[in-house]
Amino acid sequence: MKRAWAWWVELTSRRERGTTLALFRIAVAAVMVTMMLSAMRAGIVDILWVDAAEGGIQSVASGFWLLDLIGGATHRNMWGLVVLTLLFGTAMMLGLGGRWTVLAAVWCYRAVSSAGHGNGGYDAMIFNGAWLLFLAEPTATLSLDARLKSGKWRSDVEVSAWPRYLLILQLLIIYTATGLQKSSASWTFADGFSALYWFLQDPNWQRWDTSWTGSGYPLTQLATAVVWHFEVFAGLLLLVYHVRANPEGKGRWRAWLRRVDCRKIFTAIGLGMHAGIALLMDMGPFSWISMAFYINLWSPEEWEQVGSWVIQLARDRRPGKARAT
Amino acid sequence: MARWPQVRAALLLVHVVAVVLLALPSPHRMKDRARWQGQRTQREIALWAERLQGWGVDTDPKRLEAGLWDAAQQYVGLRETIAEPLSPYVAVAGVVQPWGMFRSPQRRPGELQVEVDDGHGYRLVYVSRSPEHRYLAEQLDHNRFRKIIGRAVRQRPLFDAIAGFVVERAAADFPHARRVRVTMMRFDSLPPERRAAGEEAPRQVHFRREWRR
């Protein structure tokens, strides 16, 4: 027990550069801002989020303290919250105001999305991600805060690594819990892995015409089997991280896990799954916020390498450079 | 200050316990007898009973449901007892965990239709996700509105609220309209072989509301 506690204290005391968290902060804020702009553009703010007493289609009983505190889902309150979410969300994306901007953005977003019946699992993912960003040091780099402090957008200042670890854990919990709750026989061999076929028949989710699914049924079965197994066994990625952190030891599996970077396999399947969902089904920002969590699978050093590679590629492709060579 | 790493580790452990525990299936749905009697749940129970019988297990839908109900109520009691002390943290942090996405498919989905009569009989102006009938589609097809339409299949008051909004808008947008009709259609999704043969599922009226000028 003592050894386990010492390991936990050591794990939660680790530090690393803030690049990964900064990228995640930008992605979460972008999803929040896009959600609000999309609601404004579609004209649903007054219809769905404002109480029936002021012209909305339903009575709004929020249950979120901020909305109750300011007097409920009135026209003025809801528009005020939407605009504040946009402002704080933009500041969060730019990295201005540290953790307090993150907290303000997510509380305004929670107040808005708690009104009415139109909220979804993606809202909960945004709350979870933003809460951990609030507890972290989210604007240490790639931010206006860094620019104002040091004159540079980027900073090598180290931040706590545990928020990134908890974000990885959150992603794996979401998948495992979702997978285990898929209790319908249609997700399993018991009903021929038919779940995705049936979902694609529901107009509520369809993005396009899905008449092709009749002849493409085997493809939907394959996708169902992949999705269900991927979600149920997602937690095994923790084992991969464990072996990466403790490479010593013997055994065939350990050797294989040392040799093969399973994060790449996990990411390829996961991003493929979410891209497929985004392509075939209209589920709002679900795929985008899910994919944002994948950022945390990679260390700050790995993202910095990707950044250097992209910058180098852009430089190499500049017209002046092409002429010179 | 030297104690801070220990305190932080303890607080983070509470967070981990909260998110893991609350990710377990939600007790609210499990306690809801009406939900158990819903068409979707009953279909799943019948399907599992049939499969279990096929594998030699002595059961039927009724006995399987009774066994599952008892087990679920024991689980709910245990989960609520353990989760109770964590609720203040969950309320502040918003780390709610409704991770039941796509639990089971709706094999009898709904489809919203809006029709307007300008004096020459009804004509369709909106059908869920239709590329042709797009009146109010920007609102009705928005992902947050579709959530509500999906729930309105099971909740008449929600359907009436949507219909009220559509009728009010249509009365203004179609000044020559004599009547506006909002209908929630339902249909049994067709199996793949019938879909491959080009068959379309016949729609039945589930909820309907009509307005006359």
Side-chain angles (χ1 to χ4, degrees), chain B residues 33 36 45 60-72:
Chain B
R33 250 299 184 202
W36 281 71
I45 290 170
D60 59 47
K62 222 170 180 176
R63 276 189 287 161
L64 181 64
E65 184 183 343
L68 287 172
W69 171 260
D70 288 343

Side-chain angles (χ1 to χ4, degrees), chain A residues 167-186:
Chain A
L167 286 163
I168 295 171
L169 180 71
Q170 188 66 54
L171 179 69
L172 302 182
I173 287 172
I174 292 170
Y175 280 142
T176 310
T178 310
L180 293 175
Q181 290 188 57
K182 284 182 168 63
S183 53
S184 166
S186 59

Side-chain angles (χ1 to χ4, degrees), chain A residues 113-167:
Chain A
S113 59
S114 67
H117 300 279
N119 49 6
Y122 47 77
D123 289 324
M125 290 180 80
I126 292 171
F127 304 161
N128 277 272
W131 176 252
L132 286 171
L133 280 170
F134 163 69
L135 296 178
E137 296 148 83
T139 60
T141 182
L142 301 178
S143 65
L144 260 174
D145 282 352
R147 170 95 179 152
L148 293 171
K149 215 170 178 179
S150 65
K152 289 179 183 168
W153 289 96
R154 286 167 59 185
S155 160
D156 287 339
V157 169
E158 291 200 331
V159 300
S160 293
W162 59 259
R164 185 168 74 83
Y165 301 159
L166 290 186
L167 286 163

Side-chain angles (χ1 to χ4, degrees), chain B residues 36-87:
Chain B
W36 281 71
Q37 297 310 314
Q39 167 255 337
R40 238 194 308 188
T41 312
Q42 288 296 314
R43 184 197 283 262
E44 286 300 333
I45 290 170
L47 206 61
W48 275 115
E50 191 188 310
R51 290 290 182 275
L52 291 169
Q53 281 165 359
W55 298 331
V57 179
D58 178 25
T59 188
D60 59 47
K62 222 170 180 176
R63 276 189 287 161
L64 181 64
E65 184 183 343
L68 287 172
W69 171 260
D70 288 343
Q73 298 323 299
Q74 282 181 16
Y75 158 76
V76 165
L78 183 69
R79 186 187 183 280
E80 283 183 336
T81 309
I82 303 172
E84 181 59 30
L86 298 166
S87 53

Side-chain angles (χ1 to χ4, degrees), chain A residues 14-95:
Chain A
R14 285 184 198 167
R15 296 182 75 77
E16 62 184 18
R17 287 202 289 273
T19 315
T20 305
L21 277 180
L23 291 172
F24 181 64
R25 181 200 81 228
I26 293 166
V28 173
V31 172
M32 262 200 269
V33 167
T34 310
M35 282 301 293
M36 287 301 126
L37 290 175
S38 142
M40 286 167 72
R41 187 173 162 270
I44 61 162
V45 175
D46 287 313
I47 306 167
L48 297 188
W49 288 331
V50 171
D51 191 83
E54 295 207 11
I57 67 162
Q58 54 193 332
S59 297
V60 174
S62 150
F64 183 57
W65 65 269
L66 179 58
L67 195 54
D68 296 337
L69 186 76
I70 60 174
T74 63
H75 172 83
R76 208 170 65 173
N77 284 349
M78 295 320 291
W79 274 101
L81 286 166
V82 166
V83 170
L84 284 175
T85 308
L86 276 175
L87 289 175
F88 286 126
T90 306
M92 176 177 161
M93 202 163 16
L94 296 172

Side-chain angles (χ1 to χ4, degrees), chain B:
Chain B
M1 204 61 188
R3 292 186 75 85
W4 172 237
Q6 307 275 339
V7 175
R8 179 178 55 202
L11 292 173
L12 293 175
L13 193 59
V14 171
H15 173 88
V16 170
V17 170
V19 293
V20 170
L21 199 69
L22 295 169
L24 298 172
S26 157
H28 304 294
R29 287 166 187 263
M30 291 191 176
K31 277 199 297 195
D32 186 355
R33 250 299 184 202
R35 253 196 122 83
W36 281 71
Q37 297 310 314
Q39 167 255 337
R40 238 194 308 188
T41 312
Q42 288 296 314
R43 184 197 283 262
E44 286 300 333
I45 290 170
L47 206 61
W48 275 115
E50 191 188 310
R51 290 290 182 275
L52 291 169
Q53 281 165 359
W55 298 331
V57 179
D58 178 25
T59 188
D60 59 47
K62 222 170 180 176
R63 276 189 287 161
L64 181 64
E65 184 183 343
L68 287 172
W69 171 260
D70 288 343
Q73 298 323 299
Q74 282 181 16
Y75 158 76
V76 165
L78 183 69
R79 186 187 183 280
E80 283 183 336
T81 309
I82 303 172
E84 181 59 30
L86 298 166
S87 53
Y89 175 67
V90 172
V92 172
V95 286
V96 282
Q97 311 276 339
W99 313 127
M101 293 174 267
F102 292 108
R103 267 193 203 103
S104 69
Q106 172 63 273
R107 296 190 199 203
R108 192 169 157 69
E111 180 182 85
L112 194 71
Q113 294 189 356
V114 181
E115 295 161 287
V116 171
D117 175 12
D118 295 319
H120 310 288
Y122 274 119
R123 64 184 168 92
L124 276 170
V125 292
Y126 173 80
V127 177
S128 295
R129 317 302 284 162
S130 161
E132 297 157 51
H133 308 293
R134 305 280 301 152
Y135 172 63
L136 287 181
E138 200 163 10
Q139 285 89 47
L140 297 174
D141 282 353
H142 190 274
N143 61 288
R144 294 207 184 255
F145 216 130
R146 277 186 290 111
K147 281 255 164 203
I148 295 177
I149 292 172
R151 284 169 189 162
V153 174
R154 298 183 302 273
Q155 299 175 30
R156 176 79 205 211
L158 212 46
F159 167 78
D160 286 335
I162 295 166
F165 155 72
V166 172
V167 159
E168 198 181 304
R169 282 286 177 93
D173 292 342
F174 298 95
H176 302 299
R178 292 181 181 179
R179 297 181 297 168
V180 176
R181 191 159 73 179
V182 184
T183 312
M184 179 67 81
M185 293 291 196
R186 287 194 89 172
F187 61 96
D188 288 310
S189 297
L190 296 176
E193 57 279 8
R194 289 174 65 187
R195 199 86 167 102
E199 210 178 313
E200 277 295 326
R203 268 64 172 160
Q204 295 96 34
V205 174
H206 183 54
F207 298 141
R208 173 168 276 170
R209 190 163 157 189
E210 194 172 34
W211 168 85
R212 287 165 191 269
R213 195 180 290 277

Side-chain angles (χ1 to χ4, degrees), chain A residues 271-281 287:
Chain A
L271 293 189
M273 179 176 85
H274 287 296
I277 291 172
L279 187 71
L280 297 174
M281 300 162 103
S287 284

